[in-house]
Amino acid sequence: QGKFREEDIGRVPDIYVRNSEMDNQVKELRKQLAAVQKIANKAKATWGKFRKQRDYYRMHHRRVVQEKDRLLQDIKRLKKDISNFEPALAMMKTKYERAMNSASLTRIAKERSEARIQVLEQQIKSMDDGSGGGLGATSKRKSEKKRSGKRSGDALIPDDDRPNPYLNKSFDPTNAHAFKLTKTFQGHTQAISNLAIHPRKPVIATASDDRTWKLWSIPKGELILSGSGHKSWISGIDFHPKGTLLATTSGDGTVKVWDFLKAKCAMTFSEHTQPVWDCSFHDTGDFLASCSMDQTVKVWDTQSQRCRHTFRGHVDSINSVLFQPYSNNVCTGSADKSVSIWDLRSGLCIQTFVGHTNAIGSVSFNVKGDCIVSSDMDGVVKVWDVRMVGERLSIDLNVPVNDAKFDR
């Protein structure tokens, strides 16, 4: 009939409702615009930060390039200098080889002279058998003094054929699985660098980076005595065979010997030019060996208090030194990755063991003196046969090893 139903038409909005809807839309758009502007400002700040970082790294890169060019120039200059030094080094090497040959010939001549002296001494002794030994004894003392080459007051180097009381003994294997921690006690304010066991009493000595050494009773761990006097960290420590003296080495380049009876430092040796790493007493107690970063080993006479020998041959720092039991040989371990044995009388290297691939930190003999154990910074521990001059065992622990010792 031409009429619309109300549900078909709906409500027609008036102008107020339309304006209200448009106002709400405008507010929503303004909120979105503010959010977008905030994001844009943040992005602008981030871009500015990145631009500053870019400029910084660009400048740093240019400086690195300049340093690289300068280092390349220095390397070229050093190569040129090395090429200039090569003839001099070759000449020095030739002179060294000649000197070594001359020393060998001198040693042979010395041995021949000693044999002749012994023959003459026997002849003099046979001539003076009935005279009470007056002239013969005097001549013998003079010849012995001349043969030893020592000054007045020096200790006499003992014979090489002294018996080792442990040489023919056999020991049962140690049950390492039975070892357990029994006591822990605080002793030093800084790291402990070394320790030594008293040869006759249940006492241990410790050396520390706090520049002090201390004596402790074991197993209770009671402090007995403490000493200080070094100007830097203490690296090595060793007891005199009689237990009356204690030797220490330090980063200040000195070796000190402490007297327990007098409760003071009895000797100070300061001829090393760089830090001293380790020390070891001879089994007679008359000699003390020390090794240093200056690539030398010095043997000190505790009677005359002077340096008797200086061993040279390693090309890097010598980190460990030890006398072979009941002999006149000195063993050294060096950062040049080699273990060497030196003769106390001649001062010459008589054996060298090569096999480590990193700096050697310690060397030690067994009580028989026929085996050496050495450890390096790669964690490799090697056992060397002194008689066969070869490697007997190698153990890789995969962690740096500071020290290794035989139980017997």
Side-chain angles (χ1 to χ4, degrees):
Q1 299 180 357
K3 295 182 180 180
F4 293 101
R5 292 181 299 180
E6 185 176 357
E7 59 271 11
D8 294 333
I9 298 175
R11 196 179 70 169
V12 179
D14 56 8
I15 191 63
Y16 176 79
V17 175
R18 186 178 295 277
N19 289 341
S20 177
E21 291 177 353
M22 293 178 67
D23 187 52
N24 292 335
Q25 292 179 1
V26 169
K27 290 180 180 180
E28 184 64 26
L29 290 173
R30 285 178 178 175
K31 289 181 180 179
Q32 293 179 3
L33 178 61
V36 171
Q37 189 172 5
K38 186 176 180 181
I39 294 173
N41 292 336
K42 186 176 181 181
K44 185 177 179 180
T46 304
W47 180 80
K49 182 178 179 181
F50 286 159
R51 183 179 61 182
K52 291 180 179 179
Q53 291 180 354
R54 181 201 64 187
D55 296 339
Y56 169 77
Y57 287 119
R58 181 181 294 173
M59 179 181 65
H60 184 67
H61 174 71
R62 290 175 181 173
R63 186 172 64 183
V64 170
V65 171
Q66 293 175 357
E67 291 290 334
K68 178 183 175 182
D69 295 338
R70 185 177 64 81
L71 289 174
L72 289 175
Q73 293 177 359
D74 292 341
I75 291 173
K76 291 180 180 178
R77 179 176 57 81
L78 290 173
K79 286 183 178 179
K80 185 177 180 181
D81 294 341
I82 291 173
S83 63
N84 294 332
F85 281 120
E86 283 180 353
L89 291 174
M91 185 181 298
M92 291 178 65
K93 184 178 179 180
T94 303
K95 290 182 178 179
Y96 173 76
E97 291 176 352
R98 291 177 181 175
M100 292 297 293
N101 293 332
S102 177
S104 300
L105 294 176
T106 303
R107 185 179 181 183
I108 293 173
K110 179 183 175 182
E111 291 176 353
R112 291 178 179 175
S113 300
E114 289 178 352
R116 293 183 61 185
I117 290 172
Q118 290 177 357
V119 172
L120 291 174
E121 286 176 354
Q122 291 177 359
Q123 293 177 355
I124 293 172
K125 184 177 180 181
S126 62
M127 293 172 61
D128 297 339
D129 282 336
S131 62
L135 180 60
T138 304
S139 300
K140 184 176 181 180
R141 285 195 296 269
K142 289 183 178 179
S143 62
E144 287 181 352
K145 182 175 180 181
K146 184 176 180 181
R147 186 171 69 252
S148 64
K150 71 186 188 71
R151 298 180 185 175
S152 177
D154 285 347
L156 182 65
I157 298 177
D159 296 333
D160 293 326
D161 56 354
R162 289 172 295 146
N164 186 336
Y166 300 100
L167 192 59
N168 297 321
K169 289 187 177 181
S170 60
F171 302 98
D172 295 330
T174 302
N175 185 14
H177 297 287
F179 290 172
K180 62 180 180 179
L181 179 65
T182 58
K183 187 176 180 60
T184 301
F185 51 93
Q186 185 71 29
H188 292 275
T189 58
Q190 295 187 28
I192 296 175
S193 56
N194 213 327
L195 59 85
I197 302 177
H198 195 280
R200 301 182 180 182
K201 298 180 180 180
V203 173
I204 61 170
T206 56
S208 173
D209 289 349
D210 62 9
R211 307 181 183 181
T212 65
W213 57 266
K214 296 184 179 183
L215 298 184
W216 310 87
S217 66
I218 50 177
K220 293 183 178 180
E222 297 175 349
L223 180 62
I224 301 174
L225 187 63
S226 179
S228 62
H230 285 289
K231 298 179 181 179
S232 186
W233 37 263
I234 300 178
S235 52
I237 192 167
D238 192 33
F239 279 105
H240 188 277
K242 295 182 180 179
T244 56
L245 302 176
L246 181 73
T248 57
T249 60
S250 172
D252 59 12
T254 63
V255 181
K256 290 182 178 291
V257 179
W258 309 83
D259 192 327
F260 297 142
L261 298 178
K262 298 179 181 179
K264 66 176 184 178
C265 178
M267 310 173 205
T268 299
F269 305 111
S270 56
E271 293 185 20
H272 283 292
T273 59
Q274 293 191 35
V276 188
W277 289 120
D278 197 11
C279 63
S280 175
F281 273 106
H282 191 263
D283 62 273
T284 62
D286 294 332
F287 303 98
L288 174 67
S290 62
C291 62
S292 169
M293 193 184 292
D294 62 10
Q295 304 176 14
T296 65
V297 171
K298 291 185 180 292
V299 178
W300 312 94
D301 192 317
T302 58
Q303 291 189 13
S304 60
Q305 300 186 17
R306 73 178 186 93
C307 180
R308 290 284 296 270
H309 284 293
T310 298
F311 302 155
R312 293 181 174 90
H314 286 291
V315 295
D316 208 336
S317 171
I318 304 176
N319 300 327
S320 184
V321 64
L322 185 70
F323 276 102
Q324 186 177 14
Y326 301 96
S327 77
N328 296 324
N329 296 332
V330 182
C331 181
T332 57
S334 171
D336 64 8
K337 309 169 189 176
S338 67
V339 177
S340 297
I341 298 180
W342 309 77
D343 180 50
L344 179 60
R345 294 181 180 274
S346 64
L348 299 177
C349 180
I350 56 178
Q351 287 183 4
T352 299
F353 303 90
V354 179
H356 284 282
T357 58
N358 205 337
I360 296 174
S362 70
V363 292
S364 180
F365 280 101
N366 62 349
V367 293
K368 294 184 178 181
D370 58 356
C371 288
I372 303 171
V373 60
S374 58
S375 61
D376 64 23
M377 296 298 103
D378 283 338
V380 177
V381 178
K382 291 182 179 291
V383 178
W384 309 91
D385 192 316
V386 178
R387 296 177 179 176
M388 302 300 295
V389 195
E391 180 181 322
R392 294 182 58 179
L393 179 65
S394 181
I395 305 173
D396 190 355
L397 302 178
N398 297 318
V399 292
V401 179
N402 295 327
D403 202 352
K405 300 287 186 184
F406 284 105
D407 59 338
R408 297 186 181 92

